[in-house]
Amino acid sequence: MPTALITGASRGLGLELARQYAADGWNVIATARNPADSAELQELDKQYPSLNVHALDVSDFAAIDRLARELKRRPIDILLNNAGVFGPKAKAENDPRQEFGHMDYDMWAGLFRVNAMAPMKMAEALIDNISASAQKKIVTITSSVGSITRAEGRTIAYRTSKSAANMLMRNLSFDLKSRGVITAAFCPGWVRTRMGGDGATLLAPQAMASLRRVIADLTPESSGQFWLYNGELIAW
Ligand SMILES: NC(=O)c1ccc[n+]([C@@H]2O[C@H](COP(=O)([O-])OP(=O)(O)OC[C@H]3O[C@@H](n4cnc5c(N)ncnc54)[C@H](OP(=O)(O)O)[C@@H]3O)[C@@H](O)[C@H]2O)c1
């Protein structure tokens, strides 16, 4: 069976992706910052022998190198860069630190590290594992709010970090083409998770089932695109 490595599998979309791939019989390398804090991930670990949990804070690049060494040359069919942070919320939390006039630059750098730089580091560290697999896919969960075409102001740190992640996936489609690697950036839709909030219009099981179908259909010809979870293309 193929193997998926998922970051941020402690909760939300990453947990749902881990559950669905494991239920389909895939080998799953489910990584989380603090696996012991996620009862649901522990439960999946018990339920599915093909799912292995690894501790990984994606902002710790030395830890990414350590994980790569641990995995040796184990093939990884899909690297799913899902871990992400939104940063301070002006409306919901009355915290304006990513709005004009109030920018917290250390916070912004932290968001960039997790949302945009970590996917590059994961790809660099695991390229031999990905190249050794049958499917050779790198997928990063970004967001439609990172679309420059659709920009409408506010939440500058989150938006710019997701635009950078989109740019990364587009460029990697060229840099890794000769190795047969397919890349994709995905907006998962507005999904009910801690980040998405209670007002979100989609539920994780349905949205992630749809997103997985689109991932399954990715081809070398469609590499380097920006997708919505349902298979529509999003303007950069
Ligand atoms: N939900 C939506 O509507 C929506 C919309 C657009 C894009 N997205 C994107 O979808 C992805 C998943 O979001 P979600 O809705 O599932 O959000 P979530 O419920 O807030 O979950 C975020 C996940 O990322 C992990 N994470 C954060 N920083 C990390 C780090 N430094 N190292 C490792 N893991 C880290 C969290 O781990 P801890 O449990 O350790 O905090 C958690 O597992 C994110 O990239 C997000 O930007 C979500």
Side-chain angles (χ1 to χ4, degrees):
M1 285 306 267
T3 298
L5 187 152
I6 301 163
T7 63
S10 58
R11 56 188 164 93
L13 305 183
L15 180 70
E16 183 58 30
L17 287 164
R19 178 182 291 127
Q20 292 192 15
Y21 279 112
D24 271 4
W26 282 52
N27 299 306
V28 177
I29 303 166
T31 73
R33 243 194 307 211
N34 300 301
D37 292 350
S38 172
E40 286 167 294
L41 185 56
Q42 301 294 329
E43 199 49 48
L44 288 187
D45 198 14
K46 274 190 222 136
Q47 195 180 345
Y48 296 106
S50 66
L51 181 145
N52 298 114
V53 175
H54 290 259
L56 182 67
D57 180 333
V58 299
S59 68
D60 181 348
F61 293 175
I64 294 177
D65 282 330
R66 280 199 298 279
L67 175 66
R69 281 197 295 275
E70 219 176 293
L71 294 174
K72 301 207 172 73
R73 293 245 161 176
R74 184 174 167 184
I76 295 172
D77 292 87
I78 305 180
L79 164 60
L80 252 153
N81 293 305
N82 162 78
V85 272
F86 189 86
K89 294 180 175 171
K91 273 192 193 157
E93 297 168 359
N94 197 23
D95 184 343
R97 283 179 299 133
Q98 59 171 318
E99 307 304 333
F100 184 83
H102 304 276
M103 181 57 78
D104 175 336
Y105 290 90
D106 289 339
M107 177 281 301
W108 193 1
L111 247 66
F112 244 86
R113 191 167 177 91
V114 172
N115 293 348
M117 295 167 73
M120 174 70 167
K121 179 63 196 176
M122 291 291 295
E124 283 198 311
L126 295 170
I127 189 60
D128 289 342
N129 307 69
I130 296 158
S131 302
S133 75
Q135 297 195 21
K136 302 181 180 52
K137 293 174 182 169
I138 302 177
V139 170
T140 298
I141 308 296
T142 71
S143 172
S144 58
V145 306
S147 162
I148 290 171
T149 310
R150 293 192 190 179
E152 52 183 19
R154 306 178 66 88
T155 55
I156 296 297
Y158 184 67
R159 285 177 187 275
T160 54
S161 68
K162 292 298 193 180
S163 303
N166 283 343
M167 186 65 146
L168 170 67
M169 297 316 289
R170 179 80 181 159
N171 278 287
L172 288 186
S173 75
F174 293 96
D175 290 349
L176 303 181
K177 192 175 181 176
S178 62
R179 302 181 201 225
V181 173
I182 298 167
T183 74
F186 270 88
C187 175
W190 186 22
V191 194
R192 216 171 291 174
T193 61
R194 200 179 298 175
M195 187 185 296
D198 291 340
T201 48
L202 297 167
L203 297 176
Q206 288 78 30
M208 292 306 97
S210 172
L211 186 143
R212 287 175 59 241
R213 280 194 293 275
V214 184
I215 293 176
D217 288 344
L218 293 172
T219 61
E221 292 70 39
S222 64
S223 185
Q225 303 287 357
F226 182 19
W227 302 90
L228 189 58
Y229 72 99
N230 63 7
E232 288 170 18
L233 285 175
I234 304 175
W236 296 107

